[in-house]
Amino acid sequence: MMYLLSFARCEKWIKNSKHPFPMALFRLVSFIRVFELPSPQWFNLCLYCLHQTIITLWHYFSHFFYYLPAFKGRLHSYGKRTLLYNGLPFFNGPLIMTIGNDCRISGKTTFIGRSDSIYPTLSVGNNVDIGWQTTVVVGNKINIGDNVRIAGQGFLCGYPGHPINPHLRAQGLPDLPQQIGNITLENDVWVGTRVSIIGNVTIGARSIIATGSVVTKSFPPNTLIAGNPAKAIKTLKNDVLHSQGKDTS
C-alpha cells in the first residue's frame, strides 16, 4: 500500500511540477508511451496473418482434444457433430443434460440443475444454437426442440433459487416446490438476445421472441413475442405464407 501511495505521489509530481527535470521526465514518458516501431505494411499484414493462424490452430486443437471431450464427459448423452466454441461451459448442480446432433454451444454458457430437485433434466434437440453468456437454470425439466436458436445472454429460469417470504430467505432456505416450473421451446423457436424466460412457460413452434423480452406466460405457435412482460405482437403464419406467395409469383 505504501508503495502504491508513493508511486501515485511520484506520478502526480511528474505531471504537475514546473521544475525542468520532472517536466523533461514527463515528456520522455509521454514519448515512450506512443513510440512505434517503423514497419512496412507487408510486415504488419504478415504478422497479423501469423497471429490469426496461430489462434485458429490453437482453438481447433484445444476444442478437438480438450474442451469437447471434457464437455461430452459431463453430458448424459450426446449426438454427432457437436461444435463447442470459446471454452467449456460452466456446470453446477445435479443436472442431467442431453443434446442431439449438429448442436453449436458457446463455451461461455452456464447450465445449472436445482440441487433440491430429483434428476433435473435439460433436453436439447437437433441443430440447436445456444449463444454466448446464456444461462439455463433447470428446476425439474427444460426441453429445447429441434432447430431452436438462442442468441447471446439468454436466461431460461426454471426456479428462482430463493423463497418469496423474506424470513425464509433470511434463514437461507431454498425456494418452494410451487415456485419451480418447466420450460419448453418447441421446434424452430428463435430466442433473441437478452431474453428471459420464466418457469411454467411453453413457446409454440416457429415463434420468435424479440430482443430484451421477459416471458412469463406461454404462447401458441407462429407468434411474434415482445415486451416486458412479453405479449403476442402478431401471428407469423400468414406473413410467412404471404412472403412465400410473393416469391413464387
Side-chain angles (χ1 to χ4, degrees):
M1 180 64 70
M2 292 301 297
Y3 170 78
L4 293 177
L5 291 175
S6 300
F7 181 81
R9 287 201 192 102
C10 182
E11 183 180 18
K12 184 178 180 180
W13 173 68
I14 292 175
K15 286 183 176 180
N16 299 325
S17 177
K18 301 302 182 181
H19 295 288
F21 174 72
M23 292 178 64
L25 188 59
F26 178 75
R27 289 194 295 268
L28 177 62
V29 171
S30 300
F31 172 76
I32 293 174
R33 288 177 59 185
V34 298
F35 177 76
E36 297 180 2
L37 287 173
S39 57
Q41 182 61 15
W42 65 266
F43 176 80
N44 299 334
L45 179 60
C46 290
L47 192 60
Y48 176 77
C49 292
L50 177 62
H51 169 78
Q52 288 298 106
T53 301
I54 293 173
I55 294 299
T56 300
L57 290 175
W58 169 251
H59 284 169
Y60 173 79
F61 283 106
S62 61
H63 167 266
F64 187 80
F65 292 106
Y66 182 76
Y67 291 119
L68 185 57
F71 177 64
K72 290 180 176 179
R74 182 57 181 79
L75 300 177
H76 184 72
S77 65
Y78 51 86
K80 300 177 181 178
R81 297 176 296 277
T82 301
L83 176 60
L84 186 69
Y85 54 95
N86 293 329
L88 184 67
F90 174 75
F91 284 89
N92 189 29
L95 179 65
I96 297 175
M97 181 174 176
T98 64
I99 66 174
N101 299 321
D102 302 299
C103 290
R104 296 161 294 277
I105 300 174
S106 170
K108 307 301 181 183
T109 49
T110 299
F111 300 106
I112 300 175
R114 184 174 182 267
S115 57
D116 293 308
S117 296
I118 300 175
Y119 306 127
T121 303
L122 170 60
S123 177
V124 180
N126 300 315
N127 189 30
V128 172
D129 286 352
I130 300 180
W132 177 75
Q133 287 190 344
T134 289
T135 299
V136 181
V137 181
V138 183
N140 289 322
K141 184 178 292 186
I142 291 181
N143 292 320
I144 299 176
D146 297 339
N147 310 314
V148 168
R149 300 291 182 265
I150 302 177
Q153 299 180 326
F155 184 41
L156 277 62
C157 182
Y159 70 99
H162 302 284
I164 297 175
N165 188 300
H167 301 291
L168 298 181
R169 284 202 304 272
Q171 297 174 36
L173 297 178
D175 43 18
L176 303 178
Q178 57 266 32
Q179 295 178 265
I180 305 169
N182 298 334
I183 297 174
T184 299
L185 305 181
E186 295 182 351
N187 293 348
D188 302 295
V189 167
W190 179 12
V191 180
T193 303
R194 297 188 302 278
V195 167
S196 296
I197 302 176
I198 311 303
N200 289 322
V201 163
T202 295
I203 305 299
R206 299 171 299 280
S207 293
I208 299 175
I209 307 177
T211 295
S213 299
V214 178
V215 183
T216 59
K217 64 179 182 179
S218 298
F219 290 91
N222 305 302
T223 304
L224 177 61
I225 305 162
N228 180 9
K231 300 178 181 179
I233 303 301
K234 63 178 179 179
T235 300
L236 295 172
K237 184 176 180 180
N238 292 335
D239 292 348
V240 173
L241 293 177
H242 182 65
S243 64
Q244 288 177 346
K246 283 187 176 182
D247 293 337
T248 56
S249 60

